[in-house]
Amino acid sequence: MKLVIGHMYPELLNLYGDRGNIITLKRRCEWRGIEAEIKAITVDTNTNFKDIDILFLGGGSDREQKIVSDDLTLKRAKNLKSAIEDGLTLLSICGGYQLLGMYYLSSDGSKLPGIGALEIYTVAGNKRMIDNIIIESSIDGKAFKMVGFENHSGKTFLQKNVKPLGKVIYGNGNNGEDGMEGAIYKNTFGTYLHGPVLPKNPEFTDILIKKALERKYGNCNLTPLDDSFEHLTQDAIINRFVKK
């Protein structure tokens, strides 16, 4: 079996070690004997996403996000929305997460359009939400905790047809108000968890891999891996910030 992992805008969207998410996806595939190819998708790359099994869209600064917004909305919105509706497995972080939504409303009232694949919108907040973050998630009947680091001032609000990725146990999450973090729509996931998120959260990583394999090959079961080191990292963060 083989998965093609598309890394969108690696030269522009790569904050807080986001590239570590790509490395983790590749390694956890290879440890199971699954071939994994990394394909960079830049502003000059022509793709309809039909050759991609897992797509990653990371976070970036305001300048880079404006460049990406123009490229996404003008050149790729139709094909990417079709791929999402068709069940493409997609992980988006922070700025990438926001760009999948309907729009980002800045503090001066101007709107930065997203591609509208997710029924979410983001408004500029008055303070940055910077902290470690711990959430409790349940996906496909599997409940687990996730840990990460968040640094954003945008406040994201979910609309219909979009579920939260998890409930905030510690930190701010989507907007610091409703206790929810991230978004799930079909096989598309958005989150504010940096860190990078996948090395610290093996259960979530394997859900992405499994969904991509099942879309391509049908039902499958992943070979279990020894995640004791990853769970020690999770436990250290949870024990530090969550009161017992």
Side-chain angles (χ1 to χ4, degrees), residues 37-129:
E37 176 188 349
I38 309 300
K39 183 171 288 189
I41 302 172
T42 69
V43 293
D44 300 317
T45 303
N46 183 21
T47 178
N48 58 13
F49 303 101
K50 292 182 179 177
D51 57 342
I52 301 298
D53 301 308
I54 301 178
L55 186 65
F56 176 73
L57 184 60
S61 68
D62 291 346
R63 174 184 172 277
E64 281 78 18
Q65 201 161 318
K66 177 64 169 62
I67 297 172
V68 169
S69 173
D70 290 344
D71 189 68
L72 267 180
T73 55
L74 296 177
K75 294 167 54 179
R76 306 182 191 274
K78 181 180 178 181
N79 286 339
L80 183 52
K81 288 172 70 174
S82 294
I84 289 171
E85 290 297 322
D86 190 52
L88 174 68
T89 299
L90 192 160
L91 173 63
S92 57
I93 309 288
C94 199
Y97 168 34
Q98 295 170 355
L99 287 169
L100 294 184
M102 295 179 286
Y103 61 84
Y104 181 99
L105 182 63
S106 66
S107 55
D108 64 6
S110 59
K111 275 188 179 179
L112 183 67
I115 68 167
L118 303 183
E119 292 191 62
I120 64 172
Y121 66 93
T122 304
V123 298
N126 296 322
K127 68 171 185 177
R128 293 202 72 81
M129 292 176 272

Side-chain angles (χ1 to χ4, degrees), residues 165-184:
L165 175 62
K167 179 181 177 182
V168 176
I169 298 174
Y170 178 89
N172 296 282
N174 279 336
N175 49 55
E177 298 176 11
D178 61 16
M180 299 299 171
E181 191 337 272
I184 302 175

Side-chain angles (χ1 to χ4, degrees), residues 193-211:
L193 269 65
H194 286 285
V197 62
L198 295 186
K200 297 177 181 175
N201 299 286
E203 293 89 354
F204 185 46
T205 309
D206 285 353
I207 284 171
L208 301 179
I209 293 171
K210 190 169 188 293
K211 285 184 176 294

